[in-house]
Amino acid sequence: MFGKLIKISNSKVEIKLDEELDMYKLQKLANDKQPTVELSVQDGRQISPDQRKKIWALINDLCDYTGDIPDEWEKRFKYKTKCDFNVDQFSLSNCSMTIANYMILEILDYLFTEDIPFKLKTWESIPQEFPKQMLCIRQKRCVICGKHADIAHYQAVGSGRNRNKINHVGMHIMTLCRDHHVEQHKLGIMTFCQKYHIRPIKVTEEIARQLKLGRIDKDDELS
């Protein structure tokens, strides 16, 4: 269970839970004994309760769909996070916020790839940083709303250039759905990026290879 600390009075604390408490389930977990709880306060460095809550909500939604056991998927995603982001072995009880963000991205990447539905609001779960942009580009999802998207360019491509032969390397890109792409052109690119706090990614040779960006897509006609 997760919640917010409301008041402290000597050795007593008052906590507002994020969801209703199931006393029957709590007693079963405590083997019908007096339940004991651990109070953990977010200190800004280790994984936050909110991050941990999002990870388990996503894993539980995945297991609701597959019928699998959450602990098994936790182990799989921890292993993939360790390999894909080159981090040491970690625990969800005390890992860093950065590693927690990596694991959230790893889970979302799998859910998108397998088209598995989940209840959690997707874009509230994705850290607002560089990995989010990479996830959106790889999965062709709008960086703002999460809908299907095409690549949009910070610099105009130009009507006099052959779109089939333009390489992405050196260009700044992001992924936008059709509606947000239209809005980008109405507002202007700088105003649009400031409004949504977007920092387009500059494509390097490595990123181009990783995301298979050999040329500009024909259907990206709004840039």
Side-chain angles (χ1 to χ4, degrees):
M1 298 291 292
F2 297 88
K4 294 178 176 61
L5 183 62
I6 303 300
K7 183 172 64 176
I8 299 177
S9 177
N10 296 323
S11 62
K12 295 182 179 180
V13 297
E14 181 180 340
I15 297 174
K16 183 179 180 181
L17 297 175
D18 292 341
E19 55 189 66
E20 291 185 5
L21 180 64
D22 187 331
M23 285 301 297
Y24 175 76
K25 183 183 293 185
L26 185 62
Q27 288 176 336
K28 293 295 288 183
L29 289 172
N31 293 321
D32 293 324
K33 298 178 182 179
Q34 177 69 37
T36 59
V37 297
E38 177 184 353
L39 176 63
S40 177
V41 179
Q42 178 181 343
D43 66 1
R45 292 172 295 175
Q46 293 186 346
I47 180 174
S48 70
D50 186 54
Q51 287 176 309
R52 196 179 295 111
K53 177 182 176 181
K54 287 174 179 177
I55 287 172
W56 281 109
L58 289 168
I59 290 177
N60 286 329
D61 287 344
L62 167 60
C63 291
D64 286 345
Y65 183 83
T66 63
D68 294 330
I69 300 173
D71 288 349
E72 290 301 316
W73 278 105
E74 179 201 9
K75 293 176 184 177
R76 293 189 198 182
F77 286 126
K78 285 170 70 174
Y79 179 75
K80 282 184 61 62
T81 302
K82 178 177 176 292
C83 295
D84 292 347
F85 292 97
N86 193 28
V87 297
D88 295 329
Q89 197 75 26
F90 64 92
S91 168
L92 291 180
S93 65
N94 60 4
C95 68
S96 70
M97 284 188 163
T98 299
I99 291 177
N101 281 345
Y102 288 160
M103 186 160 173
I104 290 171
L105 291 165
E106 195 73 64
I107 299 171
L108 285 168
D109 191 34
Y110 181 84
L111 296 178
F112 283 144
T113 300
E114 300 299 323
D115 198 24
I116 296 175
F118 48 92
K119 305 182 189 74
L120 202 62
K121 290 184 178 179
T122 311
W123 255 231
E124 290 181 359
S125 305
I126 302 181
Q128 298 288 335
E129 54 185 34
F130 180 81
K132 173 181 177 178
Q133 292 270 39
M134 293 291 286
L135 174 64
C136 293
I137 293 171
R138 186 165 62 246
Q139 294 291 345
K140 290 293 184 76
R141 299 278 180 161
C142 178
V143 71
I144 298 170
C145 67
K147 295 179 180 177
H148 177 74
D150 295 320
I151 290 176
H153 302 85
Y154 189 82
Q155 303 98 334
V157 173
S159 58
R161 300 165 72 181
N162 186 335
R163 302 178 67 86
N164 292 324
K165 295 182 180 180
I166 299 173
N167 197 297
H168 280 90
V169 175
M171 302 188 76
H172 288 79
I173 64 173
M174 53 192 166
T175 41
L176 299 175
C177 67
R178 190 59 51 175
D179 290 340
H180 282 115
H181 210 156
V182 170
E183 183 184 4
Q184 172 217 314
H185 285 273
K186 287 182 178 179
L187 293 179
I189 187 64
M190 293 186 67
T191 301
F192 180 83
C193 287
Q194 289 172 357
K195 176 181 177 180
Y196 291 105
H197 308 289
I198 299 173
R199 295 180 63 185
I201 289 178
K202 183 176 181 179
V203 181
T204 63
E205 292 282 357
E206 177 61 28
I207 290 175
R209 284 194 297 271
Q210 183 181 352
L211 300 178
K212 299 180 180 179
L213 297 175
R215 62 176 178 80
I216 291 177
D217 297 330
K218 289 182 179 179
D219 58 355
D220 183 23
E221 294 297 337
L222 285 175
S223 294

